[in-house]
Amino acid sequence: MSIEFKAEAGQVPVLLRPEIHLPLWEGVLEDPSYAPTVMIVDDVDLNRRLLKAMLRTAPYRILEAKRPSVAFSMLDREKIDLIVVDLVMPEMSGIEFCQMLKSDRRTQFIPILMTTGVQGIENEVAGLESGADEFLLKPLKPAVVRTRVRTMLRNKALVDSLEEAETILFALAQSVEHRDKYTGMHCERLAAYGIGLAQALGLSKHDQLALFRGGYLHDIGKISIPDSILFKRGLLTEEEWATMRQHTIRGEEICRPMKTLAPVLPIIRSHHERWDGSGYPDGLRGEQIPLLARILQVADIYDALTTARPYKPAFPHQQAVAVMLEEARRGWRDPELVPLFAEVAGHQDDDELVTTMQHSLDNMRRELAG
Ligand SMILES: [Fe+2]
């Protein structure tokens, strides 16, 4: 991935090229400095030697494990890019081995090529059902093994790069928030409130995940807003406001190249729309505003009201809810979501609310991390 910045003295880095350029995988695999690690798990020495010989034509780093237990301890220590495993092994079958790897989030994306000398379509079906990505019958044909391994490694490199790109975007988003010392932990609280409200609405895990990501990424476009505007004391001019409003569009542009962030884009673009159509950037009104963006907005306003800012103290929960209900009455906010949020949050005092919401966030994190 390639993101370039231009930073001038005293200014925010300007994102010059937000597109994510995926490297040409063919070239990457041929680069000797990038030696993918292939682990062969097979109790028969001859089989491992044969496979090693077949893969010698490419600059792979080969690790060998005689038994699944040895393979698991290697997986704890090493970054493995692909596993070739035999169906029949001591300790556990290749199928059980595969199931264990695919049910663990740390190893689920490692591609697995299963091999066997045991004939029968049922083995192939069981192998693929256990999570193996490819299945080859012995005797192995060197050209077929090499091609399969190469294709699987290319896909793995792509998955790694997307994961890395998303991690970089999250880090960038947090750096935007951390520049503003008054909003420390803002993203975390937003994600927690958003998920709490989504759960109260019975929304899917998919939507909750989008809100989790939206909590962190919604203001990433602020990276392109100069400090002189972002941190200006006093009122912004009309021109400065126009620049400030651009953060919604810039944020969407930054995240758009990542397909996995597609569900988050409406949140990023529309989190400043208003129910009565007076918001930005598109002047959407009512239910034209995506639901997840409306949820994040309720969370955002509540957080702004209940934390101290240079121009105001932190409001207690009841006062914050009263302001939000008044804004809903005036037609600015979703007239159903705001009372629901007030109800969800209203059964608890401030500390309890944060604890409960934090709990939702921790659960979501655990699910993401495995
Ligand atoms: Fe914003």
Side-chain angles (χ1 to χ4, degrees):
M1 138 169 206
S2 151
I3 294 182
E4 292 179 9
F5 298 96
K6 188 180 84 178
E8 280 165 17
Q11 278 208 328
V12 210
V14 177
L15 201 58
L16 293 178
R17 213 157 44 134
E19 303 89 1
I20 293 168
H21 298 280
L22 298 173
L24 296 170
W25 299 112
E26 298 295 330
V28 167
L29 291 179
E30 275 150 20
D31 178 354
S33 65
Y34 172 80
T37 303
V38 177
M39 181 166 72
I40 302 171
V41 191
D42 196 319
D43 59 312
V44 181
D45 293 350
L46 179 65
N47 288 345
R48 294 199 309 276
R49 280 213 300 278
L50 273 173
L51 269 165
K52 266 176 83 170
M54 288 178 198
L55 298 175
R56 199 165 287 152
T57 51
Y60 301 139
R61 178 173 163 249
I62 308 273
L63 300 177
E64 295 178 59
K66 270 192 167 192
R67 295 187 305 279
S69 56
V70 176
F72 285 122
S73 64
M74 276 185 187
L75 281 159
D76 280 339
R77 296 192 310 268
E78 306 270 352
K79 181 185 174 294
I80 311 284
D81 295 297
L82 183 138
I83 297 171
V84 184
V85 63
D86 195 61
L87 178 68
V88 182
M89 290 189 296
E91 296 176 355
M92 67 171 69
S93 70
I95 288 174
E96 288 168 294
F97 178 75
C98 234
Q99 284 168 338
M100 284 182 73
L101 291 186
K102 294 295 176 178
S103 60
D104 185 334
R105 280 192 181 265
R106 289 167 303 173
T107 52
Q108 66 174 346
F109 292 122
I110 302 176
I112 301 176
L113 171 61
M114 193 177 279
T115 62
T116 187
V118 186
Q119 301 286 326
I121 190 83
E122 64 280 3
N123 287 327
E124 190 169 342
V125 170
L128 293 171
E129 274 183 350
S130 71
D133 300 87
E134 292 282 356
F135 196 92
L136 288 177
L137 273 177
K138 290 175 184 168
L140 300 174
K141 298 181 188 72
V144 175
V145 171
R146 284 197 284 268
T147 309
R148 291 281 161 87
V149 164
R150 192 177 166 77
T151 310
M152 291 166 84
L153 282 172
R154 191 188 297 138
N155 290 340
K156 171 67 165 45
L158 190 61
V159 169
D160 283 353
S161 124
L162 289 176
E163 224 175 288
E164 193 182 306
E166 192 167 316
T167 306
I168 292 170
L169 280 185
F170 270 70
L172 272 178
Q174 281 194 287
S175 78
V176 172
E177 293 295 342
H178 287 158
R179 285 166 60 216
D180 181 351
K181 59 182 181 291
Y182 298 104
T183 57
M185 302 293 285
H186 172 67
C187 297
E188 304 234 328
R189 287 192 303 268
L190 231 59
Y193 296 148
I195 293 167
L197 192 46
Q199 284 172 348
L201 285 163
L203 297 187
S204 66
K205 286 273 175 213
H206 188 72
D207 287 338
Q208 291 178 38
L209 180 59
L211 280 163
F212 172 83
R213 290 171 160 155
Y216 286 85
L217 296 173
H218 68 289
D219 270 344
I220 193 170
K222 283 186 179 169
I223 201 158
S224 64
I225 310 291
D227 281 1
S228 55
I229 297 178
L230 208 53
F231 303 122
K232 182 174 175 180
R233 286 176 180 272
L235 295 174
L236 298 181
T237 65
E238 195 43 51
E239 202 182 332
E240 288 166 337
W241 259 120
T243 304
M244 190 68 163
R245 288 191 194 105
Q246 286 296 313
H247 82 272
T248 50
I249 294 169
R250 296 291 295 124
E252 189 193 23
E253 285 168 356
I254 290 166
C255 295
R256 190 185 295 129
M258 289 212 59
K259 296 276 177 280
T260 54
L261 294 181
V264 190
L265 298 184
I267 298 179
I268 297 173
R269 185 175 181 101
S270 303
H271 72 276
H272 284 288
E273 297 290 357
R274 276 188 185 167
W275 189 255
D276 64 1
S278 64
Y280 63 89
D282 302 304
L284 300 179
R285 58 173 64 232
E287 292 186 354
Q288 285 178 332
I289 308 166
L291 175 62
L292 298 185
R294 279 182 269 147
I295 291 176
L296 187 102
Q297 188 183 65
V298 170
D300 199 9
I301 295 164
Y302 181 79
D303 192 61
L305 290 169
T306 51
T307 46
R309 300 289 162 95
Y311 49 87
K312 71 165 220 10
F315 290 177
H317 167 75
Q318 284 305 338
Q319 193 179 352
V321 165
V323 172
M324 289 164 72
L325 288 170
E326 173 58 20
E327 290 194 352
R329 199 191 56 75
R330 271 195 235 168
W332 291 357
R333 314 292 172 207
D334 187 319
E336 286 176 18
L337 274 188
V338 172
L340 178 66
F341 184 84
E343 197 185 316
V344 170
H347 297 299
Q348 295 144 324
D349 62 32
D350 291 3
D351 290 343
E352 266 180 316
L353 176 68
V354 171
T355 311
T356 310
M357 297 287 190
Q358 195 64 43
H359 204 65
S360 308
L361 183 62
D362 289 344
N363 282 340
M364 177 64 68
R365 258 216 202 90
R366 259 195 295 279
E367 254 171 64
L368 287 171

